[in-house]
């Protein structure tokens, strides 16, 4: 029987050579490869500044810090997201306020965000949250599966309320959205945060990036990524650099290594090729699964081009777990993105979140299955997934 994993990284001899080159270079940690990765990545997402970091989680943390999120502040986060998006608000002593998602895109619903902001402004309770409320500082949309959220609507809302937009772009490289013309995901965000985790669309093993057009924000993020030092370590070792530095804040240790950046530079060069392969696979899934009544397929509105990090289908109610189990038995790896975060014990118990506060996320989560999609997936592997999914759905129905 054929085995199709949920994900397999795409690593060529070029990545191996680039990392080996760094190993032989005498400089392993943050240095020239990181600087080059920052420059090229900033170009790719049309941002003025980029700071290479150890993860998207650290990028989100430092983005909120740089935007002035402090104890007691509120941060709006979609109910359907990964732990990282909300935990960083908690690290700063802020309160994550969860907002429901749009039924079609599974991204934060701008209308729901507007209603949440109105409720907060009027000082009415949300779940177990009670007034008096702190200031809302930021909205953090997630581009679910690689499809850009309604950033135009969310930015308009943010501007009306005087709050920042930090985009969780962990899935979204190199997605695009149409505003005046086609723009890369993250372009126009106050800060955009990217992930190069092993199974994301390009990888450095572990790694991340923060991008922004504002030099003061980039400087603050860079400073806080390396112990709050006034100048970073690699500049200290440059010719003419000094041993001296000032510690201006209690920072973190969130820098990226040159080993990782060298890997990232090759992946970045291959990003379009990797993306086109994902787009082809997504189109093939959509064609092969189109006729099946029991599932809903992911959408790509005509004003967006998904990065296709995920291909998440929704099965009819009650069938999901049986289908996942059957696929596993038939050699197909899948995943679920995600149990709504506010229903996880920590958020549920600490702030009293209940499914009624996010009816769409609560209704759609039990239907979600993410199918394997990765650039090196063969057509034979994809055909196996389609065949086994059809059969699992038929079995679950009977
Ligand atoms: C993967 C992921 C992150 C975290 O990325 P890391 O680089 O592993 O820190 C954040 N948000 C979302 C939506 C993710 O899927």
């Amino acid at each position: 029987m054929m085995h199709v994993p949920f994900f397999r990284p795409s690593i060529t001899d070029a990545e191996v050579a680039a990392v080996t080159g760094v190993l032989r270079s005498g400089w392993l940690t943050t240095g020239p490869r990181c600087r080059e990765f920052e420059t090229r990545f900033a170009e790719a997402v049309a941002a003025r500044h980029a700071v290479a970091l150890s993860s998207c989680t650290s990028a989100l943390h430092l983005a909120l810090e740089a935007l002035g999120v402090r104890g007691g502040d509120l941060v709006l986060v979609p109910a359907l997201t990964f732990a990282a998006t909300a935990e960083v608000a908690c690290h700063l002593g802020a309160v994550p306020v969860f907002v429901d998602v749009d039924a079609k895109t599974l991204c934060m619903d701008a209308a729901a965000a507007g209603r949440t902001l109105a409720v907060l402004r009027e000082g009415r309770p949300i779940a177990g949250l009670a007034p008096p409320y702190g200031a809302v500082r930021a909205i953090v949309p997630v581009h679910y599966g690689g499809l850009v959220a309604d950033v135009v609507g969310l930015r308009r809302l943010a501007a009306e309320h005087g709050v920042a937009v930090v985009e969780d772009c962990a899935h979204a490289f190199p997605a695009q959205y149409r505003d005046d013309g086609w723009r890369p995901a993250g372009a126009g965000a106050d800060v955009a945060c990217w992930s190069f985790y092993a199974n994301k669309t390009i990888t450095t093993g572990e790694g991340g990036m923060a991008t922004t057009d504002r030099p003061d924000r980039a400087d603050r993020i860079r400073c806080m990524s390396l112990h709050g030092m006034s100048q970073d370590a690699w500049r200290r070792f440059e010719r003419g650099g000094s041993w001296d530095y000032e510690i201006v804040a209690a920072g973190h240790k969130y820098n990226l290594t040159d080993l990782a950046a060298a890997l990232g530079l090759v992946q970045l060069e291959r990003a379009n090729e990797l993306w086109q392969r994902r787009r082809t696979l997504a189109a093939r899934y959509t064609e092969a699964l189109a006729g099946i009544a029991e599932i809903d397929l992911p959408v790509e509105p005509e004003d967006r081009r998904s990065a296709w990090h995920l291909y998440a289908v929704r099965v009819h109610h009650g069938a999901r777990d049986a289908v996942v189990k059957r696929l596993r038995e038939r050699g197909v790896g899948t995943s679920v993105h995600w149990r709504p975060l506010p229903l996880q014990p920590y958020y549920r118990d600490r702030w009293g979140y209940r499914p009624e506060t996010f009816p769409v996320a609560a209704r759609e989560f039990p239907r979600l299955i993410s199918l394997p999609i990765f650039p090196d997936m063969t057509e034979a592997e994809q055909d196996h997934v389609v065949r086994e999914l059809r059969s699992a759905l038929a079995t679950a129905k009977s």
Side-chain angles (χ1 to χ4, degrees), residues 55-57 81-82 84-85 142 168 170-171 195 197 200 207 338:
S55 68
C56 182
T57 308
T81 188
F82 182 60
T85 321
V142 173
D168 181 338
H171 298 184
S195 177
Y197 178 69
K200 297 290 162 61
W338 300 266

Side-chain angles (χ1 to χ4, degrees), residues 80-197:
L80 209 58
T81 188
F82 182 60
T85 321
E87 75 196 18
V88 294
C90 302
H91 294 336
L92 293 161
V95 180
V97 180
F98 290 98
V99 174
D100 207 359
V101 295
D102 175 76
K104 229 170 52 191
T105 65
L106 301 179
C107 297
M108 184 189 278
D109 181 350
R115 288 195 295 275
T116 300
L117 287 168
V119 167
L120 292 169
R121 192 153 57 183
E122 290 157 20
R124 287 185 280 133
I126 293 179
L129 302 180
Y133 293 121
V136 181
R137 292 278 179 225
I139 304 178
V140 190
V142 173
H143 306 315
Y144 184 94
L147 187 72
V148 177
D150 176 14
V151 289
V152 176
L154 289 167
R155 283 175 196 160
R156 194 180 309 125
L157 191 67
E160 280 166 26
H161 290 261
V163 308
V165 178
V166 172
E167 293 181 28
D168 181 338
C169 292
H171 298 184
F173 186 74
Q176 299 175 349
Y177 69 101
R178 204 167 54 208
D179 188 353
D180 297 333
W182 285 101
R183 303 181 79 191
D190 287 293
V191 184
C193 301
W194 309 86
S195 177
F196 311 127
Y197 178 69

Side-chain angles (χ1 to χ4, degrees), residues 77-87 96-102 106 142 144 314 317 320-321 336-349 351-369:
V77 172
L80 209 58
T81 188
F82 182 60
T85 321
E87 75 196 18
V97 180
F98 290 98
V99 174
D100 207 359
V101 295
D102 175 76
L106 301 179
V142 173
Y144 184 94
R314 291 179 242 180
H317 270 282
R320 196 263 312 272
D321 294 349
V336 172
H337 298 86
W338 300 266
R339 180 184 301 280
L341 192 54
L343 301 183
Q344 292 285 1
Y346 174 76
Y347 296 98
R348 183 193 63 204
D349 297 346
W351 285 295
Y353 285 112
R354 296 288 174 267
E356 304 81 75
T357 319
F358 339 91
V360 177
R363 184 186 74 218
E364 297 305 316
F365 149 67
R367 304 178 57 212
L368 285 167
I369 304 177

